[in-house]
Amino acid sequence: MPTPSNPLYFDFRAARRVPETHAWPGLHEHPVVDGGDQAEGEEDAVPVVDVGAADAAERVARAAEQWGAFLLVGHGVPARLLARVEERVARVFALPASEKMRAVRGPGEPWGYGSPPISSFFSKCMWSEGYTFSPSSLRSELRRLWPKAGDDYLLFCDVMEEFHKEMRRLAGELLELFLRALGLTGEQVAGVEAERKIAGTMTATVHLNWYPRCPDPRRALGLIAHTDSGFFTFVLQSLVPGLQLFRRCPDRWVAVPAVPGAFVVNVGDLFHILTNGRFHSVYHRAVVNRDRDRLSLGYFLGPPPDAKVAPLPEAVPPGRSPAYRAVTWPEYMAVRKKAFTTGGSALKMVSTAAAAEHEDVVDVELPN
């Protein structure tokens, strides 16, 4: 629990109940269905894409259009590296509170330790801890956590730099798959990349998540329902499931299976805009477990702050106008903040008159 010496720290391990500060109403307004092998029908089975398969682009297209997310396998990131990443992430959250609080994220700061950044928009607290950093400033940022460096610092930095290298390679491959999934030929993909330089300028952010076991998981929430703001996100989750995707008609939450070695890929809002709404961003949330802790790592990719993101001409149907206006990432985040406070849709706020032709891809209401 918070103490006078640490008023910002909540000791999840000491909690014997879920306090009102962490109790979320309306969590069970929609049913939860299994999205793995036990899915009742094909419409609830989370799509799986093998990077190296001959039909990978077609599978990406279907998944991005129908779900906004999919499980990615065959990606070539070594399993031993992923195991080392998970081990180092677990060590971060196992540190004493006094050490973690050295790196606490201040108001308006993008990097550091604390509650999920999205939590600032809500009056209730989430049942989780997080740490956010940029791979480009990894070694300087993590000195806040380990001011004397040492073995844990060096091992964490080494494994994260190796992971970052692998993920940038994979991000380039997935971007090409996404562009091919739009129906572009290899020559057109090369032309888009030459003009926009999307792959070469994408920025990366890493967010580590710890969802401690919870005495009453029906009242608590690890991460509120939201869409990611950037291009796309790779999620590495431990073998304790907890990620859920929102699906409509009928409204329901689909539990993403914890598949060893697989990444969950989420389409973000700016990619939704880039593809003119054809590949839609996905609402997702994280629930907690009564008996086991859960870890996850989000590797977020987006444009540089000064880059204008607008629908690709290749994604706009002939004879139609783009459905969204051009925005930078900071401009979109300001719109998103307003949307959170008013209960509206950030995508709708940046839509154009032509968006009326794409009503099926503009979400207006945030699910519980």
Side-chain angles (χ1 to χ4, degrees):
M1 299 293 180
T3 65
S5 60
N6 257 330
L8 300 177
Y9 184 76
F10 183 85
D11 188 353
F12 292 104
R13 290 292 190 218
R16 297 293 177 264
R17 61 180 180 81
V18 175
E20 286 303 314
T21 53
H22 290 69
W24 289 77
L27 294 182
H28 310 290
E29 293 180 358
H30 307 300
V32 176
V33 300
D34 188 281
D37 294 338
Q38 304 304 313
E40 293 187 7
E42 186 177 339
E43 67 277 4
D44 284 332
V46 178
V48 179
V49 175
D50 186 326
V51 176
D55 63 346
E58 290 81 358
R59 286 180 175 271
V60 165
R62 286 197 300 272
E65 290 171 351
Q66 298 173 13
W67 284 74
F70 50 90
L71 285 161
L72 190 70
V73 299
H75 46 68
V77 181
R80 286 191 299 176
L81 173 59
L82 298 182
R84 288 165 54 213
V85 167
E86 186 173 335
E87 177 189 4
R88 289 294 134 191
V89 172
R91 283 178 175 268
V92 167
F93 294 114
L95 290 171
S98 59
E99 296 183 25
K100 289 187 286 190
M101 291 298 290
R102 283 195 299 240
V104 72
R105 195 169 49 241
E109 289 183 347
W111 318 129
Y113 164 80
S115 300
I118 200 174
S119 62
S120 63
F121 300 115
F122 300 92
S123 59
K124 295 290 187 178
C125 301
M126 299 177 206
W127 202 268
S128 60
E129 295 179 7
Y131 200 109
T132 307
F133 63 87
S134 167
S136 63
S137 58
L138 169 65
R139 290 188 179 261
S140 59
E141 165 60 33
L142 269 295
R143 288 299 292 268
R144 297 171 62 194
L145 198 60
W146 291 289
K148 297 182 180 179
D151 289 344
D152 282 344
Y153 166 82
L154 293 173
L155 287 168
F156 183 90
C157 291
D158 287 347
V159 74
M160 285 300 167
E161 286 173 347
E162 185 179 350
F163 178 72
H164 173 54
K165 182 179 178 180
E166 287 284 345
M167 297 309 293
R168 285 311 299 249
R169 169 195 60 79
L170 182 58
E173 292 181 12
L174 183 59
L175 177 63
E176 182 178 344
L177 265 182
F178 271 124
L179 294 176
R180 285 169 47 202
L182 283 173
L184 276 63
T185 65
E187 185 176 331
Q188 289 172 318
V189 168
V192 168
E193 185 54 37
E195 179 185 356
R196 298 294 187 97
K197 298 181 173 58
I198 300 172
T201 60
M202 280 194 300
T203 60
T205 299
V206 175
H207 189 75
L208 315 178
N209 301 290
W210 178 52
Y211 305 100
R213 55 184 179 268
C214 177
D216 188 358
R218 288 188 59 82
R219 298 185 72 219
L221 191 62
L223 190 60
I224 187 67
H226 67 288
T227 58
D228 294 337
S229 62
F231 281 158
F232 50 90
T233 309
F234 294 100
V235 180
L236 175 65
Q237 57 175 348
S238 62
L239 295 184
V240 178
L243 180 63
Q244 296 179 348
L245 309 175
F246 189 69
R247 301 273 282 160
R248 296 195 184 277
C249 300
D251 290 354
R252 64 205 185 277
W253 288 103
V254 177
V256 180
V259 177
F263 288 106
V264 184
V265 175
N266 293 332
V267 174
D269 289 346
L270 292 183
F271 213 67
H272 182 124
I273 293 171
L274 192 74
T275 62
N276 204 47
R278 178 174 167 187
F279 297 164
H280 70 83
S281 54
V282 60
Y283 281 118
H284 56 284
R285 69 179 186 179
V287 297
V288 290
N289 191 284
R290 184 185 297 277
D291 303 311
R292 294 184 291 173
D293 297 345
R294 176 175 175 264
L295 293 170
S296 73
L297 179 154
Y299 187 89
F300 298 83
L301 289 146
D306 59 345
K308 287 282 188 179
V309 177
L312 293 170
E314 294 83 357
V316 180
R320 292 189 179 181
S321 300
Y324 301 94
R325 63 179 175 86
V327 290
T328 65
W329 202 349
E331 287 170 350
Y332 184 74
M333 292 303 289
V335 172
R336 196 167 185 247
K337 180 178 180 179
K338 182 178 179 181
F340 271 121
T341 57
T342 61
S345 163
L347 284 172
K348 188 172 183 180
M349 291 178 184
V350 298
S351 64
T352 65
E357 302 172 359
H358 305 270
E359 290 178 352
D360 58 323
V361 299
V362 180
D363 272 309
V364 178
E365 183 180 355
L366 185 71
N368 291 313

